Each structure stands twice: as C-alpha cells, then as structure tokens.
Amino acid sequence: MADYTNATFEEVREVGKGDFATAGQGSAAFKNTLKKLGVGSAVVRRVAIASYEAEINLAIHSDGGKLTLSVYPDKIRLVSEDIGPGIADLDLVMQEGYSTATEEVRMLGFGAGMGMPNMKRCSDEFDLKSAVGKGTTITMDFKLG
Amino acid sequence: MSVSKIYHSVKLEHDKCVGCTTCMKNCPMECIRVRNGKARILYDLCIDCGQCVKHCPYHAKVAQTDPITDIFRYEHRIALPAPSLYGQFRNLHSADNVISALLSLGFNHVFEVARAADIVSATVRKMIKTNPNKPLISSACPAVVNLIKIRFPELLPHLANVLSPMEVAARLAKEEYSKEHGVEIEKIGAFFITPCPAKMASIHEDSKTYVDGVIAIRDIYGLLTSQMKQEVPDEVKNMEHASWRGVNWASFGGEGSALGYSNILSVDGIHSVITVLEEIENGRLSDLEFFEGSSCLGGCLGGSLVFENTYVAKNNLRKLIERMRNREKEEGTAKVVEPRDDIEQYAPFEPREGIKLGGDISEAIEKMEKIKSLTKSFRGLDCGSCGSPTCRALAEDIVQGRATELDCVFKLKEKVEQLAREMVDLTNL
C-alpha cells in the first residue's frame, strides 16, 4: 500500500475496551465530516459501514485502540489501531461467519463473524497486520473521484 | 449560503421574535441562527418539520397555510381530511359526523385521506415482497423524506416510490367527482386539511400535484365544532369509507401496523428518526422489511398545526377506531383494498444540497481544518449566546462568513479584558 504521510484532514476517535454505549458515535462523526466535505454518498456509506465495523471490533475484541480518518484530495484512509491482544490466525479471521465473540456479545446482536469481511468488501484496498501480544492495525483505503 | 429555490412553509414573524434562541436549540437540522436579535432560518437545511413552530414561546415561528375562504376560488370544492382530524374531537361516533360538518362549511364533497391510506398500505404491502433495498422506508412523512434528501442521500433508493395518501386522495377524489358530475378537473379544487406544515411545502414543490390548497386543522377546528351534529345525511352514510386501519395512520406506528408484517420498525420524533437512519446507513438493519419514521412525537397527531393535545387526541382516535372495529365485526364487512400500480411518485426522489461546505475537496478540507481549530479555541459550552446552536456550528459559520469570532461572549470578554489592560498600560506610561 502506498504511504501517505501528509494527511490534509485528520479526525481521531479513541475506543476503549467494552465501550458499547458510545460505539457508533465515531463512525457517525466521520460520516458527517465526509458529507460536509462533499464526498459522494456511495463512498460515504462504504466508509460508514467499515468504520462502524472497526469501531465495534475495537470495543468487542481489543484492549483499547483508536480509529483515524484521513482525507486526501484523491482518497480516504481509515486506520484502526489497537494495543492488543492481536490476532493469531489472519486467514481464519477473514472467513465469513468466523467469530471469537462471547455469548454475551452475541446477545447484544454483534459477533456474527462479518466484521472483517465487511470491512474488506467496503474498502478499495485493505491491509491487516497483527502480532499476538502486541496489537492489530487495519488500514483501509477508499478512492475518491 | 445560496438562496434556496425550494418552497418552505415555516416563516418568521419578525416583530414577534425576541431572539431568545429557543427555536435554535430545538432545531434538529441546526439550521436556525439568531443574528442581530432575530432568528433566521438557513433554508438550504430546513426540512419543514415544524419543531420551531411548536417550541417558539412567542409564536413568532409560523407555518403558512391557506385560509378557508380560499376554497371559494373553485366552483367545485372537495375536502381531503387527514385522519388526524378525527382525533381532535372527543366521543366522535363516526367519521361521518366530521364529514357532514365539512360539507356544511361549503365543501361539495369529502374524500377521506384515510381511504387513500388504505390504498397506499395495500400498494406498499405488495412492494415489500419484491423490494431489493431493505428496509423499504416509508415516504409518507414529508419532513423525513426531506431529511433523507439532505442528510442520507444514499438511502433515497430505500424510499417507497408511492404517492402520499394526501396526493392519492386528491387525484382519486377529482377523478371520481369529475366522472360523476361531468365536471372538468380544472374546475374542482381539492383542499387538504393538515396537521403538518411540511405537507404545505410538499405541494408547492410538486408541480404535478392535484392538491390546490392546504388548510391547517387548528384554523378549521372551531368552525367544524360549531357545525357538528349527531344526525348524518344519507349521502354521507352511503359514501365509500376508509377502514379503521387507514384512520389509524394518524397515530404513530399506524402505517406500519396496517402492513401485516412483523419485522417492521416505527419511530417517532425527528431526533430518534435520525439515530435509526444512521443505523440503516451503517448497514445494521438490512434484515428489516419496513421502516416508518414520523418527524413528530406521536405521529401526525403530534403535528404542529393540530388543535388538541397529542395524547388526548391519541385517546380520542383510539376510541373511534374501537367503534369502527366493532362495527366491522358486527357487519362482517372487512373491505379488501387492492394495490394500485399507478400511484408512483411523479418524479424520482432527488438529493438536496445543503450540508456541504462548498468548493472542491481541497477547499473543503481547508475549511474543515479551520473549523476544527476554531472549535478547539471555544469553551465548548454550546451556550448559544452567539446565535449559533453549538460552538462547532459557530466555527462553521465563521468559516462560511456568517459570523465573527467576537460573536462568542467568552471571546468578547477576553478581548475587552485585553483592551482594558492595554488602556491601563497606556495611562501608566
């Protein structure tokens, strides 16, 4: 994936472990930002779905992390970074229906095993890096124009 | 901000406005500003929901509707009562009493909008079966449709492509009347008796509408009560009537419950509607068959142009519906209403501009940066003293040239303190 260091607009949202009450606020804020910037509605919706999935994943699976939205004139980059626990099997996690979510989380209507596949489906470029004991970084790019 | 070409029903009575910010605080679209002591609406974002009309303590926000005398512009006059009109009367035996009263006010004919609602229900029920964009979203509440056009354009394909019951009623009423009496359609005036300012705006926007005027329920309520009688003429009794399901459209959830599907969601109150539309936009509700959003709490009975308290009206309507259901049971005459495929919207739903900062993406990004840093420089109390609803909105107003930094009372205080210090320093020289 090409490296972009000069973000022209950046918005960061911290998501704590188990933050279900506020999960979704970040993606809602991102959505409003993109609409104000005049980004086309089809792209906005794809970013909305991906950022919502990422936000929920951080709340369910991570020990805490953050979502960063960066807008460049030709693309949008969404990065989800967390501080652990990391993913052991990166192939398994991309399989539809695979989930390690607890019964409690499933009762809340999450944990259907569609998070990662949805994020990949919505983005134009998708990159997943993870190290057990360290953390996970998901980078998603969405082309503009 | 560009001048909106879209007609709006909600207007400000300048002399009555004291600049108190109540309307600004209650506007779900954050599109009211108080400048120079008077409220003004940024019409590009206004969805005509009427929240400001409802909340203004000085009655300075008004919804423009037509006076009843307007009906006499036409040789033949048809009243189209919204089902919420029936909820305004206590112990209403039957809708016929209201219909008779409307006739004695000078209408030649009455076509119940609830009857058209029955047709719309049947049509939407059929649509759900083949709908590819789940959930199908009701297009009945014009404020919600406006909201989707501005804030959720990606959900426009979800909107049910069907005319509103008001429009269906107007068209069928005119067609029926014209046929029966041998009168040209142009000579017939159809007047909607409305609980809602957004309906007024929607007919002005639609050049193909069959509705010729809109009369507020609260403007006609007094006249109607003076004409209410127990006796009903035979011609009214023999009219084709709406079912209780159609009448129930006036209540929040009534439209959805008439469909006979269980996986539907009905939401009232514009703020709650926004939160659920967010969920739909996030792809969280793609198993849902139907979503019905009503801008007003309590559905159309909570409209800003009704007379009776929403909850009292709800009880009135519930009792009327009970009577109607009992009669249906006794007579065993549950009517089957067929769907129609000729009641599609006259034009496709188009997105409305208004939310964008403007310019190309690089320009917009630059503006967004400025808004972000300005917002940080404010206290974040969202006090509204500056005349913008939040600190963030003020930052945007400054960047868009609609306000200045010193509109913020805290910034002003800092500035005055700084000037005072400078004065002291000068005198000490």
Side-chain angles (χ1 to χ4, degrees):
Chain A
M1 243 176 190
D3 235 13
Y4 272 72
T5 40
N6 297 321
T8 32
F9 182 79
E10 202 176 270
E11 203 166 321
V12 182
R13 232 24 222 211
E14 311 261 340
V15 184
K17 185 180 181 175
D19 254 355
F20 290 109
T22 53
Q25 286 180 4
S27 62
F30 288 176
K31 227 165 24 182
N32 278 336
T33 298
L34 295 177
K35 284 175 188 175
K36 286 213 179 271
L37 289 173
V39 172
S41 60
V43 180
V44 173
R45 192 165 190 201
R46 287 197 284 128
V47 177
I49 294 173
S51 61
Y52 184 80
E53 293 286 6
E55 202 176 352
I56 292 295
N57 267 2
L58 286 174
I60 296 177
H61 300 289
S62 84
D63 297 330
K66 63 176 184 181
L67 270 179
T68 307
L69 176 81
S70 311
V71 186
Y72 308 87
D74 61 338
K75 75 167 177 177
I76 294 163
R77 176 164 282 186
L78 183 67
V79 180
S80 165
E81 291 166 278
D82 65 46
I83 53 166
I87 302 166
D89 190 332
L90 292 182
D91 290 327
L92 209 51
V93 85
M94 292 310 298
Q95 274 177 28
E96 293 191 5
Y98 174 79
S99 177
T100 56
T102 61
E103 194 53 37
E104 208 183 332
V105 165
R106 284 167 202 254
M107 294 280 274
L108 292 171
F110 302 113
M114 290 304 290
M116 289 287 186
N118 260 346
M119 281 185 247
K120 188 172 182 187
R121 187 173 51 81
C122 287
S123 52
D124 292 314
E125 281 190 62
F126 178 90
D127 179 67
L128 169 64
K129 286 194 174 65
S130 189
V132 175
K134 285 194 177 148
T136 303
T137 303
I138 308 164
T139 309
M140 289 164 272
D141 282 356
F142 306 80
K143 284 184 203 136
L144 288 178
Chain B
M1 197 161 275
S2 65
V3 178
S4 175
K5 287 184 190 69
I6 292 167
Y7 178 91
H8 290 279
S9 162
V10 177
K11 297 270 150 54
L12 178 78
E13 285 199 0
H14 213 260
D15 295 341
K16 287 185 182 170
C17 177
V18 303
C20 71
T21 75
T22 303
C23 58
M24 182 182 85
K25 287 286 182 190
N26 283 289
C27 173
M29 298 303 286
E30 291 193 354
C31 72
I32 299 177
R33 300 292 182 270
V34 180
R35 299 280 178 250
N36 302 320
K38 300 285 177 189
R40 50 176 284 230
I41 301 172
L42 305 176
Y43 279 113
D44 280 354
L45 286 172
C46 175
I47 58 172
D48 280 271
C49 67
Q51 287 295 320
C52 54
V53 177
K54 222 181 284 184
H55 284 101
C56 177
Y58 304 96
H59 307 290
K61 279 278 165 59
V62 292
Q64 285 183 332
T65 49
D66 300 311
I68 174 119
T69 47
D70 256 29
I71 70 171
F72 296 105
R73 288 191 287 128
Y74 292 86
E75 210 176 305
H76 304 271
R77 304 167 289 274
I78 304 178
L80 310 169
S84 48
L85 178 64
Y86 308 153
Q88 308 302 307
F89 307 96
R90 293 178 196 206
N91 302 314
L92 190 64
H93 176 70
S94 135
D96 284 354
N97 302 97
V98 179
I99 294 170
S100 310
L102 282 166
L103 290 174
S104 48
L105 287 185
F107 287 103
N108 306 100
H109 183 59
V110 177
F111 190 108
E112 294 178 89
V113 173
R115 205 186 121 194
D118 282 331
I119 298 168
V120 173
S121 290
T123 310
V124 168
R125 196 178 300 131
K126 188 181 158 198
M127 247 176 217
I128 289 176
K129 283 186 196 154
T130 53
N131 170 44
N133 302 304
K134 279 186 169 187
L136 190 69
I137 298 177
S138 163
S139 52
C141 175
V144 171
V145 171
N146 286 336
L147 171 71
I148 292 174
K149 286 179 176 177
I150 295 176
R151 215 172 133 175
F152 301 96
E154 193 59 15
L155 298 183
L156 287 172
H158 289 252
L159 277 173
N161 183 14
V162 59
L163 292 171
S164 68
M166 167 188 81
E167 193 58 46
V168 173
R171 207 170 91 187
L172 295 184
K174 281 187 174 178
E175 282 168 8
E176 279 181 18
Y177 190 92
S178 156
K179 220 172 173 184
E180 202 181 319
H181 300 270
V183 179
E184 289 163 60
I185 295 250
E186 291 70 36
K187 290 192 174 155
I188 311 169
F191 290 82
F192 181 54
I193 318 293
T194 189
C196 159
K199 282 287 185 195
M200 177 74 178
S202 77
I203 70 153
H204 278 265
E205 236 176 86
D206 190 345
S207 56
K208 288 190 178 158
T209 183
Y210 283 73
V211 182
D212 300 290
V214 172
I215 298 163
I217 284 180
R218 65 178 180 206
D219 289 346
I220 207 174
Y221 175 81
L223 290 167
L224 277 178
T225 45
S226 69
Q227 299 294 331
M228 293 280 264
K229 295 180 192 81
Q230 282 305 318
E231 271 165 49
V232 174
D234 283 344
E235 58 158 315
V236 173
K237 278 186 201 154
N238 297 332
M239 272 173 48
E240 192 170 340
H241 284 89
S243 79
W244 60 266
R245 288 179 189 81
V247 172
N248 197 29
W249 267 59
S251 280
F252 148 66
E255 184 190 355
S257 67
L259 292 173
Y261 280 87
S262 66
N263 196 12
I264 58 168
L265 193 56
S266 302
V267 175
D268 65 341
I270 192 74
H271 294 283
S272 304
V273 169
I274 291 172
T275 60
V276 177
L277 289 174
E278 295 271 7
E279 296 268 304
I280 296 175
E281 197 177 40
N282 288 350
R284 288 255 298 141
L285 295 171
S286 48
D287 62 325
L288 198 66
E289 298 286 4
F290 183 74
F291 170 72
E292 165 199 10
S294 149
S295 171
C296 296
L297 280 170
C300 299
L301 289 173
S304 54
L305 302 180
V306 297
F307 172 81
E308 187 58 277
N309 171 290
T310 311
Y311 301 95
V312 174
K314 191 179 173 185
N315 194 35
N316 292 341
L317 198 78
R318 188 185 52 77
K319 287 191 285 184
L320 172 67
I321 286 171
E322 252 173 44
R323 286 186 198 111
M324 292 178 77
R325 291 183 81 154
N326 287 338
R327 278 198 292 270
E328 187 185 276
K329 241 184 252 168
E330 280 165 23
E331 295 164 11
T333 53
K335 198 173 62 171
V336 181
V337 180
E338 293 299 328
R340 292 179 67 126
D341 45 22
D342 62 344
I343 54 168
E344 282 179 1
Q345 287 274 332
Y346 301 133
F349 296 108
E350 298 283 357
R352 248 173 73 184
E353 302 285 317
I355 220 162
K356 292 178 192 172
L357 293 172
D360 65 12
I361 183 109
S362 303
E363 246 178 283
I365 286 172
E366 212 172 292
K367 284 181 181 175
M368 200 57 131
E369 274 300 338
K370 281 187 197 151
I371 292 170
K372 195 172 147 189
S373 64
L374 267 173
T375 307
K376 264 189 203 152
S377 78
F378 295 132
R379 293 272 182 108
L381 298 180
D382 294 341
C383 69
S385 308
C386 60
S388 300
T390 61
C391 294
R392 207 205 152 282
L394 175 62
E396 188 174 328
D397 287 344
I398 294 167
V399 170
Q400 299 287 46
R402 293 192 293 253
T404 64
E405 262 185 82
L406 292 186
D407 282 326
C408 169
V409 287
F410 296 103
K411 291 265 180 191
L412 184 67
K413 190 166 157 257
E414 275 169 30
K415 183 79 181 169
V416 170
E417 277 167 5
Q418 184 203 335
L419 285 174
R421 268 197 307 274
E422 281 172 16
M423 286 285 270
V424 172
D425 289 349
L426 278 173
T427 44
N428 288 346
L429 273 179

